[in-house]
Amino acid sequence: MRNEAFDQCVLRRGDYSIRLADSPGRSSEVSALVKRMYSWRGYNTENTAVPPSQTTLEAFNGEDLVGTLSLRLDSEHGLLADELYKEKISTFRVKDRKVCELSKLAIDPQFSSKELLASLFNLAYICGRIIHRATDFFIEVNPRHTGYYKRMLGFRQLGETSNCRRVNAPAVLLHLELDYVDAQVSCLAGSHEPRERSLYPYFLPEHEEKKVAKRINHINRATAFDFAALYG
């Protein structure tokens, strides 16, 4: 029998580890964390089917789930943000560009840190950019959080505030060119410089990112093999 906790771990740092959520049981735990973190802010949450184009990251402190972030690749099903911003996102759906969406970020405040948040974004970047060759990230956030995303990660706002029916709260669309992230990783990653008003000093250097990408690919191949053996 496989040691799932070890097999699915893609990054260990300090007291926490980050794994891939790859089963219905794991996805339900992630949904519970998202609901708990969103509901106290008055946001609605809904459980939706996880498409094959989505990768969900789980951050653990020991065996306690303390954070999550999902990366959704563009597909025939589109992105969640298309509900409000399809016209703007579609301007990037052109030759030589590939869009992705970040969603369902949730971190237990007791365990929140710049390093943990940076690690979740870093792994989403590795999945999107290095593995899937994405060129652009999009994310819908509450307007009061836009300053943080702009300052700490370099996102830019596209369009006006709209009401997001999924969470029954105001939202704005933010966009991040991954060429910009490449440049930040090259000059800042691994420095752990706390004075920088940026999360990029907490990203992995490029050579370590490539090792993590190989690890993720290995896990995905092993998971696909196990699924085929059980249901094929």
Side-chain angles (χ1 to χ4, degrees):
M1 183 175 180
R2 295 192 312 159
N3 182 334
E4 180 182 352
F6 175 79
D7 281 355
Q8 305 306 317
C9 182
V10 294
L11 180 66
R12 295 184 188 277
R13 272 187 166 180
D15 295 331
Y16 66 85
S17 61
I18 300 179
R19 311 171 194 170
L20 302 180
D22 70 333
S23 68
R26 300 265 15 105
S27 296
S28 64
E29 287 193 34
V30 168
S31 296
L33 175 65
V34 171
K35 185 174 183 178
R36 179 159 53 91
M37 293 299 101
Y38 281 34
S39 61
W40 74 268
R41 296 184 176 93
Y43 301 162
N44 291 335
T45 58
E46 58 182 25
N47 292 326
T48 57
V50 177
S53 59
Q54 180 169 302
T55 298
T56 297
L57 302 166
E58 309 172 307
F60 286 83
N61 184 285
E63 290 303 309
D64 296 325
L65 179 64
V66 299
T68 184
L69 176 65
S70 292
L71 172 74
R72 183 176 179 133
L73 304 178
D74 201 16
S75 69
E76 65 272 18
H77 303 294
L79 306 178
L80 295 173
D82 280 326
E83 181 179 342
L84 294 176
Y85 300 106
K86 185 174 183 177
E87 183 177 348
K88 293 190 176 299
I89 295 172
S90 290
T91 62
F92 293 86
R93 290 181 169 119
V94 295
K95 184 179 179 181
D96 298 329
R97 301 200 76 82
K98 187 174 184 179
V99 303
C100 294
E101 178 180 47
L102 300 172
S103 65
K104 297 184 178 180
L105 171 65
I107 296 179
D108 188 324
Q110 181 180 348
F111 299 94
S112 182
S113 68
K114 287 174 68 174
E115 185 176 59
L116 176 54
L117 184 59
S119 294
L120 287 169
F121 278 105
N122 193 181
L123 288 173
Y125 163 76
I126 291 170
C127 290
R129 182 62 157 177
I130 298 177
I131 296 176
H132 294 289
R133 305 301 179 187
T135 59
D136 300 87
F137 274 178
F138 291 92
I139 189 170
E140 290 176 297
V141 303
N142 190 289
R144 66 173 178 265
H145 300 314
T146 58
Y148 186 85
Y149 282 86
K150 292 176 181 178
R151 181 174 66 252
M152 302 300 284
L153 288 162
F155 277 90
R156 296 184 178 183
Q157 182 174 335
L158 293 180
E160 302 300 322
T161 299
S162 298
N163 187 67
C164 179
R165 291 183 295 178
R166 293 192 314 276
V167 296
N168 191 29
V172 295
L173 181 69
L174 301 184
H175 167 245
L176 180 64
E177 286 195 9
L178 297 187
D179 283 346
Y180 171 82
V181 181
D182 295 344
Q184 296 304 301
V185 169
S186 294
C187 66
L188 292 175
S191 66
H192 293 259
E193 176 51 69
R195 290 173 295 180
E196 285 282 350
R197 293 171 65 83
S198 169
L199 292 182
Y200 293 114
Y202 297 91
F203 274 41
L204 297 171
E206 293 175 78
H207 68 280
E208 292 186 32
E209 287 183 334
K210 291 177 181 177
K211 291 179 181 178
V212 171
K214 289 181 180 179
R215 173 66 177 157
I216 292 172
N217 280 327
H218 173 76
I219 290 171
N220 286 336
R221 286 194 296 268
T223 300
F225 177 82
D226 286 352
F227 184 87
L230 285 171
Y231 303 106

